Amino acid sequence: MGCLLKMIISSLVSLAVVVGIVAILAFACTPNTFGLGGVDLGFGTLEELGLADKNFATLFTDLMDVFKEPKEEDIVTNGFDDETEAPKAENNLRNSAISSVVDGETVISYADLLSTEGGPILYDQEYLLRYDDHTLGYIFNQALKETQDKERENSDLGPLGQFKIVINEVSLYNDKITVDEVEQDSVTLKVVASFNIAGIKEELFKDVPGFISNIIPSNLYVVSQMTLTATNEGVLSTASKAFNINGKDSQMSEVIIKALAHAIDEGTTDETATMNSMIGGVVTGSIAKLGRVGTAAVNSSNVVTGDINLGNSGIKGADEGSETNGYLTLITSKQAA
């Protein structure tokens, strides 16, 4: 019995020594300690990314902080309700070519908004229609869901097709930008989406130790913010402002954004702009199919009667703290007689 007890105590002491050594190494050693600063992750070396002189414990903690799944209410601050927005979307689309009635119910082919085939969605009349940002969020989410569920190959998703995406929020709000040292009013488009990266995790983290990639969750929230403007032809364009993952603004968050951006475009030099351009392109492309941005005089049925003014007049942002929604007014395309 005494020998057995000594063996157990000896084993526990040995384990404690090993754990202690690992802990000391984790806090005292950095990638450069072992000459790993030049290891290329495919989107930069540890030295270039500013990680080579951080101890392993800090690197691990920072990584886990970025990937720690946040509470949705902390990220999604202006979400939409499907039941509220569905009838608004159907009302705006009911006279269009992507709307039909099946067994007495209105059916909208939202996936057509992401199709690379065909041009603008045609209506029986030229209408001026208002789309609240919540309604746009619902429409984009339905379009993504239908496209992904049917695995459509002719979609306008581009690199986004690698991910399973859910749109959680679309907001339009008033902001200020500085142009040539002069402050100007602008409208910011904010898109919050959850990205499921399970399909590309293996490729994305191929050079990262397996135990780390295994604890990285497959679902991430991304928050994209862009300045939104419209041309004199009523076509929307975006300019990159900010992009983050899980609401985190940190060095490690920037590293992960680099990884994602380079998985999409190996030659990118501005990762934030790459991510925002990808998301902004899908949003503006879908809206272009719905109509031209602008204002006009209308009759009681919202049919355009004249005074068409294309451009920024059709973009309205909500003031910060306001309970109203930002919105776009779009002039639809009429089918040929």
Side-chain angles (χ1 to χ4, degrees):
M1 178 64 73
C3 290
L4 179 60
L5 183 58
K6 287 181 180 180
M7 290 176 59
I8 293 174
I9 293 175
S10 177
S11 298
L12 290 175
V13 169
S14 298
L15 178 60
V17 169
V18 171
V19 171
I21 291 173
V22 170
I24 290 171
L25 288 174
F27 283 98
C29 297
T30 69
N32 271 341
T33 303
F34 302 101
L36 300 176
V39 172
D40 192 351
L41 300 181
F43 49 91
T45 66
L46 292 174
E47 193 76 56
E48 291 168 340
L49 297 171
L51 304 178
D53 290 316
K54 288 194 170 188
N55 66 55
F56 289 106
T58 299
L59 290 174
F60 184 78
T61 300
D62 289 350
L63 186 64
M64 291 305 95
D65 181 61
V66 174
F67 286 119
K68 181 181 179 182
E69 188 167 349
K71 294 180 180 178
E72 184 170 313
E73 59 267 26
D74 292 338
I75 305 295
V76 182
T77 58
N78 188 33
F80 55 87
D81 177 70
D82 284 0
E83 291 186 6
T84 301
E85 301 309 320
K88 296 179 184 178
E90 290 177 5
N91 186 60
N92 275 5
L93 296 167
R94 64 183 176 183
N95 295 315
S96 75
I98 64 172
S99 175
S100 59
V101 178
V102 178
D103 295 331
E105 293 188 6
T106 300
V107 177
I108 308 292
S109 179
Y110 290 101
D112 286 0
L113 294 172
L114 295 178
S115 174
T116 56
E117 298 176 350
I121 303 302
L122 300 178
Y123 281 73
D124 60 342
Q125 297 288 339
E126 189 177 45
Y127 295 98
L128 178 70
L129 301 176
R130 167 173 165 157
Y131 286 88
D132 286 353
D133 49 17
H134 282 189
T135 308
L136 289 171
Y138 170 80
I139 289 172
F140 297 150
N141 195 47
Q142 289 300 112
L144 280 168
K145 187 176 186 300
E146 287 186 10
T147 298
Q148 293 170 145
D149 286 350
K150 297 176 182 178
E151 297 183 348
R152 291 197 176 193
E153 294 183 357
N154 63 327
S155 79
D156 199 28
L157 287 176
L160 285 174
Q162 302 175 76
F163 308 96
K164 185 74 173 179
I165 308 168
V166 173
I167 301 294
N168 306 101
E169 174 185 345
V170 171
S171 296
L172 294 169
Y173 62 89
N174 293 322
D175 204 354
K176 296 278 187 184
I177 59 173
T178 301
V179 179
D180 296 329
E181 299 183 355
V182 178
E183 262 198 351
Q184 298 181 7
D185 293 331
S186 74
V187 174
T188 292
L189 166 67
K190 176 185 176 186
V191 179
V192 181
S194 56
F195 276 52
N196 189 296
I197 65 170
I200 65 166
K201 264 179 68 175
E202 183 177 346
E203 173 65 21
L204 198 61
F205 299 104
K206 63 182 178 182
D207 296 313
V208 175
F211 77 93
I212 292 180
S213 62
N214 287 338
I215 60 178
I216 291 174
S218 296
N219 206 54
L220 306 172
Y221 284 98
V222 302
V223 181
S224 170
Q225 297 184 71
M226 299 161 276
T227 299
L228 190 68
T229 56
T231 68
N232 292 333
E233 289 75 40
V235 178
L236 288 175
S237 64
T238 61
S240 179
K241 287 186 65 177
F243 185 92
N244 68 53
I245 296 173
N246 287 348
K248 304 291 185 181
D249 289 306
S250 64
Q251 182 183 19
M252 187 60 75
S253 177
E254 291 176 4
V255 170
I256 302 305
I257 291 170
K258 281 181 180 289
L260 288 170
H262 282 266
I264 292 163
D265 178 5
E266 291 182 2
T268 184
T269 57
D270 188 336
E271 292 80 11
T272 294
T274 294
M275 299 302 292
N276 278 334
S277 177
M278 179 178 60
I279 294 172
V282 173
V283 170
T284 57
S286 299
I287 291 172
K289 285 181 173 289
L290 291 173
R292 296 170 294 163
V293 179
T295 57
V298 298
N299 63 19
S300 59
S301 299
N302 289 326
V303 175
V304 173
T305 58
D307 296 329
I308 294 177
N309 180 24
L310 299 177
N312 289 328
S313 61
I315 305 175
K316 299 297 179 184
D319 292 328
E320 187 175 359
S322 170
E323 294 184 1
T324 60
N325 290 87
Y327 63 89
L328 301 176
T329 51
L330 305 178
I331 299 171
T332 64
S333 297
K334 180 182 176 181
Q335 57 192 1

